[in-house]
mmCIF file of all heavy atoms in Angstrom:
data_model
loop_
_atom_site.group_PDB
_atom_site.id
_atom_site.type_symbol
_atom_site.label_atom_id
_atom_site.label_comp_id
_atom_site.label_asym_id
_atom_site.label_seq_id
_atom_site.Cartn_x
_atom_site.Cartn_y
_atom_site.Cartn_z
ATOM 1 N N ILE A 60 91.003 102.765 86.370
ATOM 2 C CA ILE A 60 92.147 102.823 85.485
ATOM 3 C C ILE A 60 92.939 101.513 85.502
ATOM 4 O O ILE A 60 93.407 101.029 84.454
ATOM 5 C CB ILE A 60 93.022 103.997 85.835
ATOM 6 C CG1 ILE A 60 92.319 105.335 85.448
ATOM 7 C CG2 ILE A 60 94.379 103.922 85.170
ATOM 8 C CD1 ILE A 60 92.420 105.632 83.945
ATOM 9 N N VAL B 126 93.062 114.331 81.339
ATOM 10 C CA VAL B 126 94.276 114.452 82.176
ATOM 11 C C VAL B 126 95.208 113.289 81.776
ATOM 12 O O VAL B 126 96.392 113.508 81.590
ATOM 13 C CB VAL B 126 93.968 114.452 83.640
ATOM 14 C CG1 VAL B 126 95.258 114.648 84.449
ATOM 15 C CG2 VAL B 126 92.921 115.485 83.979
ATOM 16 N N VAL B 127 94.678 112.077 81.800
ATOM 17 C CA VAL B 127 95.480 110.890 81.517
ATOM 18 C C VAL B 127 96.121 111.051 80.178
ATOM 19 O O VAL B 127 97.323 110.780 79.974
ATOM 20 C CB VAL B 127 94.642 109.627 81.537
ATOM 21 C CG1 VAL B 127 95.420 108.368 81.169
ATOM 22 C CG2 VAL B 127 94.087 109.428 82.949
ATOM 23 N N VAL B 130 98.904 113.794 80.143
ATOM 24 C CA VAL B 130 100.209 113.371 80.745
ATOM 25 C C VAL B 130 100.906 112.317 79.850
ATOM 26 O O VAL B 130 102.106 112.459 79.606
ATOM 27 C CB VAL B 130 99.968 112.762 82.175
ATOM 28 C CG1 VAL B 130 101.247 112.199 82.704
ATOM 29 C CG2 VAL B 130 99.386 113.831 83.084
ATOM 30 N N ASN B 131 100.105 111.342 79.358
ATOM 31 C CA ASN B 131 100.775 110.324 78.476
ATOM 32 C C ASN B 131 101.356 110.969 77.281
ATOM 33 O O ASN B 131 102.460 110.518 76.810
ATOM 34 C CB ASN B 131 99.747 109.327 78.079
ATOM 35 C CG ASN B 131 99.472 108.256 79.133
ATOM 36 O OD1 ASN B 131 100.373 108.014 80.015
ATOM 37 N ND2 ASN B 131 98.338 107.686 79.156
ATOM 38 N N LEU B 145 104.576 118.571 87.045
ATOM 39 C CA LEU B 145 103.385 118.939 86.239
ATOM 40 C C LEU B 145 102.925 120.370 86.577
ATOM 41 O O LEU B 145 103.228 120.883 87.667
ATOM 42 C CB LEU B 145 102.232 117.993 86.451
ATOM 43 C CG LEU B 145 102.051 116.899 85.453
ATOM 44 C CD1 LEU B 145 103.193 115.910 85.513
ATOM 45 C CD2 LEU B 145 100.764 116.110 85.722
ATOM 46 N N GLU B 164 90.926 113.461 89.816
ATOM 47 C CA GLU B 164 90.590 112.098 89.602
ATOM 48 C C GLU B 164 91.581 111.501 88.604
ATOM 49 O O GLU B 164 92.036 110.345 88.778
ATOM 50 C CB GLU B 164 89.128 111.965 89.044
ATOM 51 C CG GLU B 164 88.100 112.207 90.112
ATOM 52 C CD GLU B 164 86.659 111.928 89.588
ATOM 53 O OE1 GLU B 164 86.549 111.252 88.576
ATOM 54 O OE2 GLU B 164 85.737 112.423 90.220
ATOM 55 N N GLY B 165 91.883 112.250 87.611
ATOM 56 C CA GLY B 165 92.889 111.743 86.591
ATOM 57 C C GLY B 165 94.245 111.564 87.216
ATOM 58 O O GLY B 165 94.909 110.582 86.977
ATOM 59 N N LEU B 166 94.648 112.591 87.932
ATOM 60 C CA LEU B 166 96.006 112.488 88.575
ATOM 61 C C LEU B 166 96.084 111.304 89.556
ATOM 62 O O LEU B 166 97.093 110.629 89.595
ATOM 63 C CB LEU B 166 96.270 113.816 89.358
ATOM 64 C CG LEU B 166 96.419 115.055 88.418
ATOM 65 C CD1 LEU B 166 96.640 116.259 89.348
ATOM 66 C CD2 LEU B 166 97.538 114.918 87.427
ATOM 67 N N ARG B 167 94.973 111.078 90.285
ATOM 68 C CA ARG B 167 95.007 109.974 91.231
ATOM 69 C C ARG B 167 95.229 108.696 90.496
ATOM 70 O O ARG B 167 96.007 107.829 90.963
ATOM 71 C CB ARG B 167 93.684 109.975 92.010
ATOM 72 C CG ARG B 167 93.738 109.345 93.274
ATOM 73 C CD ARG B 167 94.381 110.194 94.392
ATOM 74 N NE ARG B 167 95.623 110.872 94.034
ATOM 75 C CZ ARG B 167 95.781 112.194 94.071
ATOM 76 N NH1 ARG B 167 94.821 113.017 94.471
ATOM 77 N NH2 ARG B 167 96.972 112.726 93.742
ATOM 78 N N ALA B 168 94.557 108.522 89.413
ATOM 79 C CA ALA B 168 94.642 107.261 88.591
ATOM 80 C C ALA B 168 96.084 107.081 88.176
ATOM 81 O O ALA B 168 96.639 105.979 88.261
ATOM 82 C CB ALA B 168 93.716 107.328 87.384
ATOM 83 N N LEU B 169 96.702 108.167 87.659
ATOM 84 C CA LEU B 169 98.047 108.095 87.195
ATOM 85 C C LEU B 169 99.043 107.841 88.388
ATOM 86 O O LEU B 169 100.029 107.144 88.179
ATOM 87 C CB LEU B 169 98.445 109.423 86.507
ATOM 88 C CG LEU B 169 97.825 109.648 85.160
ATOM 89 C CD1 LEU B 169 97.942 111.103 84.735
ATOM 90 C CD2 LEU B 169 98.422 108.698 84.124
ATOM 91 N N GLU B 170 98.676 108.275 89.516
ATOM 92 C CA GLU B 170 99.516 107.986 90.718
ATOM 93 C C GLU B 170 99.468 106.544 91.037
ATOM 94 O O GLU B 170 100.529 105.915 91.325
ATOM 95 C CB GLU B 170 99.114 108.923 91.907
ATOM 96 C CG GLU B 170 100.117 108.803 93.057
ATOM 97 C CD GLU B 170 99.544 109.391 94.364
ATOM 98 O OE1 GLU B 170 98.379 109.482 94.501
ATOM 99 O OE2 GLU B 170 100.388 109.800 95.159
ATOM 100 N N ILE B 171 98.266 106.031 91.008
ATOM 101 C CA ILE B 171 98.106 104.579 91.397
ATOM 102 C C ILE B 171 98.846 103.675 90.386
ATOM 103 O O ILE B 171 99.393 102.646 90.792
ATOM 104 C CB ILE B 171 96.597 104.203 91.371
ATOM 105 C CG1 ILE B 171 95.917 104.915 92.511
ATOM 106 C CG2 ILE B 171 96.383 102.685 91.496
ATOM 107 C CD1 ILE B 171 96.141 104.391 93.860
ATOM 108 N N ILE B 172 98.904 104.040 89.115
ATOM 109 C CA ILE B 172 99.577 103.154 88.226
ATOM 110 C C ILE B 172 101.086 103.501 88.152
ATOM 111 O O ILE B 172 101.854 103.015 87.281
ATOM 112 C CB ILE B 172 99.042 103.171 86.811
ATOM 113 C CG1 ILE B 172 99.127 104.555 86.161
ATOM 114 C CG2 ILE B 172 97.580 102.710 86.795
ATOM 115 C CD1 ILE B 172 98.588 104.615 84.758
ATOM 116 N N GLY B 173 101.564 104.393 89.020
ATOM 117 C CA GLY B 173 102.982 104.501 89.188
ATOM 118 C C GLY B 173 103.658 105.552 88.318
ATOM 119 O O GLY B 173 104.868 105.773 88.357
ATOM 120 N N ILE B 174 102.861 106.310 87.493
ATOM 121 C CA ILE B 174 103.473 107.250 86.624
ATOM 122 C C ILE B 174 103.650 108.594 87.298
ATOM 123 O O ILE B 174 104.487 109.401 86.921
ATOM 124 C CB ILE B 174 102.512 107.446 85.341
ATOM 125 C CG1 ILE B 174 102.536 106.143 84.509
ATOM 126 C CG2 ILE B 174 103.048 108.579 84.482
ATOM 127 C CD1 ILE B 174 101.700 106.195 83.309
ATOM 128 N N LEU B 175 102.896 108.847 88.332
ATOM 129 C CA LEU B 175 102.926 110.086 89.008
ATOM 130 C C LEU B 175 103.218 109.936 90.440
ATOM 131 O O LEU B 175 103.012 108.851 91.066
ATOM 132 C CB LEU B 175 101.560 110.817 88.855
ATOM 133 C CG LEU B 175 101.576 112.199 88.294
ATOM 134 C CD1 LEU B 175 102.244 112.218 86.923
ATOM 135 C CD2 LEU B 175 100.176 112.762 88.186
ATOM 136 N N GLU B 176 103.703 111.010 91.011
ATOM 137 C CA GLU B 176 103.890 111.014 92.476
ATOM 138 C C GLU B 176 103.374 112.400 93.036
ATOM 139 O O GLU B 176 103.923 113.424 92.587
ATOM 140 C CB GLU B 176 105.374 110.851 92.813
ATOM 141 C CG GLU B 176 105.694 110.296 94.125
ATOM 142 C CD GLU B 176 107.164 110.137 94.352
ATOM 143 O OE1 GLU B 176 107.806 109.349 93.624
ATOM 144 O OE2 GLU B 176 107.746 110.806 95.274
#
Side-chain angles (χ1 to χ4, degrees):
Chain A
I60 287 282
Chain B
V126 184
V127 177
V130 175
N131 280 336
L145 261 65
E164 286 186 19
L166 294 179
R167 204 76 317 122
L169 289 165
E170 190 191 24
I171 293 286
I172 64 179
I174 294 181
L175 234 58
E176 205 180 298

